[in-house]
Amino acid sequence: MKFNVNQQDLQQALNYCQGVIEKRSTLPILSNVLLNASNSNLTITATDLDLIFIHQINNVEVIEEGNTTTTSSIMYDIIRKFSSGKKINLSLTNVSKLQVESEKSVFNLNCISASEFPLTDENFNQNEFSIKSKQLLKLLNKCKFSVSNDETRHYLSGIFFHQTQTEDKNFLTAAATDSHRMSISKIRLDFEPIILPKKTIFQLCSLLESYDGDVKISNIKSKIKFELNNSILISKLIDGKFPNYIQVIPKNNQKKLEIDLKLFLDSVDRVASVSLDKKDGVKFNLSKDVLNLSVNNTNSGDGKESLTVKFDHDLEISFNSRYLIDVASQLDGDKIEIFFNDTGSP
């Protein structure tokens, strides 16, 4: 195997692989990336057995076709320290050594045979559809901060994608909750319900951020496949039943607060700065068209701020500032509406 590749292309591909590969894997082969050079293409594959990432770099100068695997983190560390955009020459000097050369640097990296790399070949022809990358990214971003970190309730450690109906129109709806807060986002589409794991969500977001185009999605019973331009992500799905989240959405919150989104976000962020622990409550003291925000921390001090709003009631209520900032950061538009019931209600 012998080929030449552009530094930036290889660095970008290996950067994506870092998000898939487990740092503390018991199997040495799972710390490696599979490199396959053929037909002027370099295909790079990374997996943790639950998630498979495949990326293809086109127009590579392949002198001798072949494949091997080498440690992803070491290779990435070397490649990113080479001069940007330069040509890198890679060649397999023997079965267990990969030579990496650029300008005046030469490295010899240990390899494990490609035949040991675990790959599954499954047919993903069922339930295939396309979605705009920016629409999918928006759905993921608006829900991912509410995903639970609690290992005991594995069905909450992902985003629940399912179909809902509003006025006879079908929507692809994403929902996530850690049982303290909940996010729901939707777009027009027909869809079969699945729960997408947390790691897959973050890997998908990093791919979508630098891609503008259609994403082809297909799934079989326990796995899902995302196809972007030069990348494929295959993931196991979470096996479990997502709770009936609809029943916990407050239905009788009649007290409406209307507020400028940017002013609100900046104000909460400023007031919360006085507290080292972002879990400290931000207290809302609401009266006619005035919102007084305050944080009081016995160790570090207190902060207050006042905003002009639209509100017709009197109410005192506290929130975790991190939750407010997470939600407000993902909302679009100039103004937001917040609906309250009483001091103890969500």
Side-chain angles (χ1 to χ4, degrees):
M1 182 178 85
K2 193 172 185 182
F3 62 91
N4 304 326
V5 64
N6 178 287
Q7 185 271 343
Q8 279 170 310
D9 293 343
L10 188 54
Q11 181 183 333
Q12 184 190 40
L14 290 169
N15 183 30
Y16 291 140
C17 292
Q18 300 312 300
V20 173
I21 287 169
E22 284 296 329
K23 304 289 176 279
R24 294 180 295 278
S25 178
T26 49
L27 290 169
I29 193 73
L30 293 182
S31 301
N32 284 15
V33 282
L34 173 64
L35 305 169
N36 190 333
S38 65
N39 302 331
S40 305
N41 295 324
L42 172 65
T43 306
I44 299 173
T45 308
T47 185
D48 66 355
L49 297 182
D50 287 338
L51 193 58
I52 303 170
F53 171 68
I54 304 162
H55 185 83
Q56 187 171 297
I57 302 173
N58 303 324
N59 305 320
V60 172
E61 189 189 339
V62 178
I63 299 146
E64 195 181 310
E65 294 191 350
N67 55 26
T68 190
T69 82
T70 190
T71 312
S72 176
S73 56
I74 294 173
M75 188 174 181
Y76 173 63
D77 212 24
I78 291 167
I79 301 300
R80 73 187 179 88
K81 288 171 183 170
F82 282 151
S83 306
S84 180
K86 290 286 182 195
K87 195 162 83 167
I88 299 174
N89 311 316
L90 293 100
S91 56
L92 205 57
T93 49
N94 64 47
V95 182
S96 62
K97 282 281 185 280
L98 177 69
Q99 188 178 82
V100 182
E101 187 187 347
S102 183
E103 296 179 288
K104 291 179 179 163
S105 311
V106 178
F107 295 88
N108 287 294
L109 305 181
N110 288 350
C111 298
I112 300 176
S113 163
S115 61
E116 289 188 39
F117 197 84
L119 277 181
T120 53
D121 190 27
E122 279 164 296
N123 192 357
F124 278 88
N125 289 343
Q126 286 172 283
N127 312 324
E128 196 176 281
F129 65 94
S130 286
I131 182 173
K132 293 258 179 294
S133 57
K134 294 297 171 245
Q135 283 187 308
L136 180 57
L137 181 61
K138 196 170 168 182
L139 270 188
L140 294 168
N141 278 337
K142 288 189 185 320
C143 291
K144 69 183 185 189
F145 59 84
S146 291
V147 171
S148 172
N149 293 318
D150 181 0
E151 296 294 321
T152 57
R153 291 191 289 178
H154 68 285
Y155 52 86
L156 293 184
S157 61
I159 294 180
F160 180 45
F161 285 92
H162 56 299
Q163 187 175 305
T164 55
Q165 267 196 324
T166 310
E167 296 165 356
D168 294 333
K169 292 186 179 80
N170 289 336
F171 288 87
L172 166 58
T173 303
T177 182
D178 57 6
S179 71
H180 297 286
R181 64 233 178 114
M182 181 161 67
S183 313
I184 303 159
S185 185
K186 52 179 77 174
I187 51 172
R188 284 286 308 278
L189 204 67
D190 292 327
F191 196 75
E192 292 290 317
I194 59 159
I195 305 177
L196 196 62
K198 187 174 188 172
K199 185 173 176 178
T200 309
I201 294 158
F202 283 87
Q203 185 64 18
L204 195 51
C205 285
S206 75
L207 287 170
L208 292 169
E209 269 157 17
S210 56
Y211 173 67
D212 196 357
D214 283 353
V215 180
K216 206 160 82 181
I217 301 173
S218 48
N219 70 304
I220 47 182
K221 194 166 185 283
S222 61
K223 289 186 180 174
I224 190 162
K225 178 180 180 182
F226 299 91
E227 292 177 71
L228 290 74
N229 207 3
N230 292 323
S231 302
I232 294 173
L233 193 66
I234 299 169
S235 169
K236 277 189 181 172
L237 296 168
I238 291 176
D239 181 21
K241 194 172 182 332
F242 201 81
N244 180 2
Y245 66 90
I246 301 290
Q247 66 189 26
V248 299
I249 300 172
K251 293 184 175 53
N252 56 348
N253 285 14
Q254 303 299 331
K255 298 172 182 170
K256 183 170 99 169
L257 164 67
E258 197 178 299
I259 190 166
D260 181 286
L261 174 57
K262 188 168 184 338
L263 284 178
F264 176 69
L265 182 56
D266 293 347
S267 189
V268 171
D269 201 16
R270 270 195 301 270
V271 171
S273 307
V274 78
S275 162
L276 298 170
D277 183 1
K278 285 283 184 274
K279 288 198 206 61
D280 269 352
V282 171
K283 192 173 175 185
F284 284 25
N285 195 321
L286 282 153
S287 51
K288 171 92 176 125
D289 295 341
V290 176
L291 166 59
N292 290 309
L293 296 163
S294 61
V295 171
N296 195 333
N297 182 288
T298 44
N299 299 319
S300 50
D302 60 73
K304 293 190 183 77
E305 200 156 314
S306 188
L307 292 174
T308 305
V309 297
K310 274 176 79 174
F311 194 69
D312 279 334
H313 311 269
D314 289 316
L315 182 69
E316 273 196 14
I317 189 166
S318 292
F319 294 99
N320 177 325
S321 63
R322 182 78 265 146
Y323 294 173
L324 292 174
I325 291 165
D326 282 346
V327 171
S329 308
Q330 287 304 331
L331 291 173
D332 306 316
D334 299 326
K335 291 206 171 352
I336 55 167
E337 294 171 342
I338 305 175
F339 295 86
F340 301 98
N341 184 12
D342 57 44
T343 303
S345 304

